[in-house]
Amino acid sequence: MPALRVSGLEKSFRTPHGTVAVLNSVTFDVEKGEWLTCLGPSGCGKTTSLRVLAGLLEPDAGSVWLDGAHGSRLGRTAYLPQEDTLLPWRTALQNAMLSAEIDGRPLAAARAEAMGLFERFRLLGFEDVYPSQLSGGMRQRVELARTFLSHRELLLLDEPLGALDPQTRASLQEWLLAVWNEFRRTVVLVTHDVEEAVLLSDRLLLLTARPATVRETVSLALLPRPRRRADPGVVAERTRLLSLLAPEVAP
Amino acid sequence: MIGRILIPASFATLLLGVWELAVRSFGVPVYILPPPSRIAITFFTRFPMLARHGATTLGEIALGLTLAASFGFLLAIALHHSRSLERGLRPFIVASQMLPVFAIAPLLVVWLGYGVWPKVVVTALIGFFPVVVSELDGLRATSRETVDLLLSMGATRRQLLTKLLLPASLPSLFSGLKLAATLSVVGATIGEWVGARRGLGYLMLESNARLHIDLVFASILMLTLIGLLLFGALRIIERWALRWRDSAGGSASARRGGG
Ligand SMILES: Nc1ncnc2c1ncn2[C@@H]1O[C@H](COP(=O)(O)OP(=O)(O)OP(=O)(O)O)[C@@H](O)[C@H]1O
Ligand SMILES: [Mg+2]
């Protein structure tokens, strides 16, 4: 049984200028513990897909099974939205503990766990700092810590490293991989960065331009881990994907 | 820093100096316009009386403002949660603002007597609207993504309100409260003008009738001080409640290297 089964998702939005079809028969599975990455042109419907997976948006047609069950998915996934969603009035630690509070878990235990993760996330010393005082890279790490601390099996990450400079981004990629190795969750990641996708994923989902449909699935199971940017296999896969995706990027 | 204190201070000194000089050199009678020095003397010699009346007015203001804040806050939450309630009440809330409170103040005296309540009600009516409107705006200030985040975590409606909407509305609520505080001084004064036996508004009217213009000015000075006191107290509470806001930079930038 796959951790997540998505079948025939359709979604269109009604706007003042007419109806916009965004998802067109999107179908895929994700196995437990697998890292699946969605690559697709800007505006193709990646965020819309994740919002459907998180249970925030009802699809017009199609279904989603989480651990084989079909019911509401609100409260059952760890969703990291594309935009900055740290609450400015909460300190870094309080932000990271939000999910525990909402679950009604004992706060002392949640706090201890969060502190442990802060150490792992190199955020120690910044527990009581407000988000406005954190650098971009640190804010992203707090958001990731919050996502990992939510005790959900499925992580939905919408361009978590999207807004960072290349250097911070590269170091966070390696670091994210190390953390994932340690905490092993099922991941659906959305990104624009082909290299990032090749470095991190077990499998890639290539989406077409809007309305998004799965154009191709690429298994990276044969690329040995840990992967480095300069590994010949990584470079070759990246080059192949870039030329494959190039026509889709053009207007 | 120097400019922020020195420039207004020298401007005020200049203004008072011109006033003093003009009144003295043109021989304006004190029952028309007393010089600032005379007002200052009156203020200090009659201070116990001014403070007594000031306490009455301050009490009315505090009570009215508390009523305006609590009802305005609760109504805004109710309106935010019920679209039909908002549709139904919004015209009345807006219309209540067009209603000149001056006009109903005498009625309030008829209904509620000469005691403290007509003043409290006038003050509350004046302060109510800015609180409702600003809190309603504040409740709408959250982004779709943060709402999505909490919903995806499985937050209930109540958790959404307490953990997201209310804290996010605070900056807006405080601007409304500060406006309400400013207006509440006006409200209490009007309430006292219409009918009172105590308070700075009453004292002003009394002194005016007896041509004790220096006492009128001293009362105005006292009212101004009360207004400033209220505003300052609110600023302090606001700073504390929104302490996450004025923290960009400062000590943090030194610690940022750890990233
Ligand atoms: N609530 C909505 N109402 C109307 N249109 C919407 C809504 N949400 C998304 N869309 C439209 O759906 C399309 C896909 O949006 P989506 O955010 O899913 O794209 P994306 O692949 O995540 O883009 P990006 O890579 O830029 O993040 C866009 O054209 C967008 O304008
Ligand atoms: Mg997106």
Side-chain angles (χ1 to χ4, degrees), chain A residues 42-43 45-48 82-83 158-159 190 192:
Chain A
S42 197
K46 302 182 293 296
T47 298
T48 305
Q82 185 169 4
E83 282 75 16
D158 199 349
E159 303 199 33
V190 163
H192 275 126

Side-chain angles (χ1 to χ4, degrees), chain A residues 51 56 74-75 77 79 81 83 85 87-90 99 101-102 125-126 129-130 132-133 135 138 141 146 152, chain B residues 144-146 148-155 159 163-164 167-168 243-244 247-249 251-252 255-256 258-259:
Chain A
R51 293 184 71 221
L56 295 163
L74 288 178
T77 66
Y79 172 48
E83 282 75 16
T85 49
L87 303 180
W89 55 86
R90 285 177 163 251
S99 181
E101 269 179 46
I102 287 184
F126 292 90
V129 172
Y130 291 104
S132 60
Q133 295 175 291
S135 69
M138 290 168 72
R141 292 210 299 276
R146 182 187 67 200
R152 308 291 192 269
Chain B
R144 190 195 73 185
E145 287 76 20
T146 38
D148 272 4
L149 175 76
L150 267 87
L151 289 177
S152 78
M153 288 176 170
Q159 285 174 325
K163 302 217 181 283
L164 181 62
R243 59 193 174 283
W244 47 272
S247 54
S251 62
R255 302 170 72 177
R256 199 167 278 176

Side-chain angles (χ1 to χ4, degrees), chain A residues 225-251:
Chain A
R225 288 179 189 268
R227 298 168 190 160
R228 309 225 140 264
R229 241 160 272 276
D231 289 348
V234 172
V235 174
E237 192 58 41
R238 195 187 64 132
T239 317
R240 190 181 78 80
L241 284 168
L242 278 175
S243 61
L244 195 67
L245 293 172
E248 285 288 348
V249 179

Side-chain angles (χ1 to χ4, degrees), chain B:
Chain B
M1 193 62 210
I2 290 171
R4 259 182 49 186
I5 296 169
L6 220 57
I7 294 174
S10 42
F11 192 71
T13 314
L14 186 74
L15 203 73
L16 291 176
V18 170
W19 177 355
E20 182 87 34
L21 219 69
V23 168
R24 279 173 191 272
S25 52
F26 293 114
V28 181
V30 285
Y31 56 85
I32 303 277
L33 182 65
S37 55
R38 167 89 185 239
I39 296 169
I41 291 166
T42 307
F43 184 80
F44 287 111
T45 51
R46 313 296 296 274
F47 187 80
M49 185 187 64
L50 283 165
R52 212 169 49 243
H53 287 285
T56 304
T57 307
L58 182 60
E60 293 158 3
I61 291 174
L63 218 56
L65 200 55
T66 308
L67 282 178
S70 345
F71 278 107
F73 180 73
L74 292 177
L75 184 67
I77 293 174
L79 291 179
H80 185 78
H81 275 259
S82 161
R83 186 137 297 241
S84 45
L85 193 64
E86 192 195 336
R87 288 235 181 88
L89 283 186
R90 182 166 271 270
F92 293 100
I93 295 171
V94 174
S96 80
Q97 237 18 54
M98 305 304 140
L99 184 92
V101 179
F102 280 102
I104 63 159
L107 278 176
L108 289 172
V109 174
V110 173
W111 294 333
L112 301 171
Y114 280 84
V116 77
W117 287 108
K119 293 92 184 172
V120 170
V121 171
V122 170
T123 309
L125 281 177
I126 284 191
F128 176 71
F129 187 72
V131 175
V132 177
V133 172
S134 61
E135 175 62 8
L136 210 48
D137 276 350
L139 288 170
R140 296 207 183 96
T142 38
S143 68
R144 190 195 73 185
E145 287 76 20
T146 38
V147 173
D148 272 4
L149 175 76
L150 267 87
L151 289 177
S152 78
M153 288 176 170
T156 60
R157 266 171 86 96
R158 191 198 195 93
Q159 285 174 325
L160 204 62
L161 186 69
T162 57
K163 302 217 181 283
L164 181 62
L165 300 185
L166 289 184
S169 74
L170 278 187
S172 184
L173 176 65
F174 271 106
S175 6
L177 283 177
K178 284 189 289 189
L179 185 56
T182 316
L183 293 173
S184 69
V185 179
V186 181
T189 310
I190 293 172
E192 288 173 355
W193 279 353
V194 174
R197 295 187 201 96
R198 269 195 300 256
L200 290 172
Y202 158 80
L203 182 63
M204 233 188 251
L205 227 53
E206 273 293 298
S207 318
N208 213 38
R210 294 178 190 178
L211 294 182
H212 291 161
I213 305 301
D214 51 345
L215 205 48
V216 175
F217 273 100
S219 308
I220 293 175
L221 182 60
M222 197 67 183
L223 268 179
T224 310
L225 290 179
I226 286 177
L228 285 174
L229 182 81
L230 271 177
F231 198 81
L234 270 174
R235 276 288 294 271
I236 290 172
I237 300 173
E238 180 186 29
R239 282 258 174 85
W240 175 81
L242 306 181
R243 59 193 174 283
W244 47 272
R245 230 178 24 168
D246 50 28
S247 54
S251 62
S253 47
R255 302 170 72 177
R256 199 167 278 176

